[in-house]
Amino acid sequence: MKKFRVWFIAIMLAVASGLVAPAPASAAPYCGLVWGSLVKAKPAMSQAQVTNVRTGQHYCFDRLVIDLNGRVGGYTVRYVPQVTQDGSGLPVPLRGQAFIQVTVNAPAYDQNGKSTYNPANPKELTNVTGYQTFRQVAWAGSFEGYSSLGIGVRARLPFRVFALAGPGAGSRLVIDVAHFW
């Protein structure tokens, strides 16, 4: 009984002095984000056309928005070793340590072949200077009903993809890339 009391007192002193502490709980995900960095895709095609590309900064992520003049059909968004141009397969040079290729299953031209989205500078679709995650957004072209662009990011970070209705009869494909894991 005396040995038990000695051990009990020793353990209590260790706990009280902080020498023995409970195991730390696993850290909560950054901003509650649980997105991951694997491919996100939907195979459906769209009758809509790409009309604009824009970006924005948020507290937990940087956002890319692709506007369409109809309903978003499908897309493929994934990390790649190098973004390539539609049709030719030529590389699209991008700043950053990781690269996301975004392919929207919608053309950037109408039924007559007239462009519905013609960026002033295909190498710099929007100015992302000062963004926490984005380093560059560049156009990779539109070919055979698909439109692609590349996002240069500072590291391979989690992202999510979703579609939003509006404005009007249009819709938006949204890609959010987290600032941290």
Side-chain angles (χ1 to χ4, degrees):
M1 185 69 164
K2 194 172 184 179
K3 282 185 179 183
F4 173 75
R5 197 178 331 194
V6 170
W7 277 107
F8 180 75
I9 291 171
I11 291 171
M12 293 308 287
L13 286 172
V15 168
S17 66
L19 294 175
V20 177
S26 60
Y30 173 72
C31 285
L33 306 178
V34 291
W35 301 337
S37 63
L38 298 179
V39 174
K40 284 133 181 105
K42 281 183 140 179
M45 292 301 290
S46 178
Q47 297 301 314
Q49 293 92 32
V50 174
T51 60
N52 194 27
V53 175
R54 52 201 167 93
T55 57
Q57 298 178 70
H58 294 266
Y59 179 74
C60 298
F61 54 85
D62 290 346
R63 173 170 283 178
L64 174 83
V65 178
I66 302 169
D67 294 318
L68 288 91
N69 60 6
R71 196 173 68 77
V72 171
Y75 54 82
T76 302
V77 181
R78 63 190 173 113
Y79 278 99
V80 295
Q82 185 169 43
V83 172
T84 57
Q85 292 179 2
D86 282 345
S88 70
L90 294 173
V92 175
L94 290 167
R95 293 183 298 278
Q97 299 299 312
F99 312 106
I100 299 174
Q101 179 130 9
V102 178
T103 301
V104 185
N105 301 359
Y109 50 84
D110 64 18
Q111 312 78 292
N112 300 318
K114 184 177 183 237
S115 179
T116 57
Y117 177 63
N118 192 16
N121 182 356
K123 294 178 181 180
E124 301 283 342
L125 297 183
T126 66
N127 182 0
V128 294
T129 302
Y131 279 51
Q132 196 161 344
T133 297
F134 289 172
R135 295 297 179 256
Q136 185 178 358
V137 179
W139 186 242
S142 188
F143 184 73
E144 293 186 347
Y146 297 88
S147 298
S148 294
L149 52 93
I151 309 170
V153 294
R154 67 177 177 78
R156 185 178 176 129
L157 295 162
F159 67 93
R160 70 176 173 177
V161 181
F162 59 96
L164 293 172
S171 63
R172 297 158 283 166
L173 181 65
V174 178
I175 298 98
D176 292 336
V177 183
H179 293 159
F180 300 103
W181 271 99

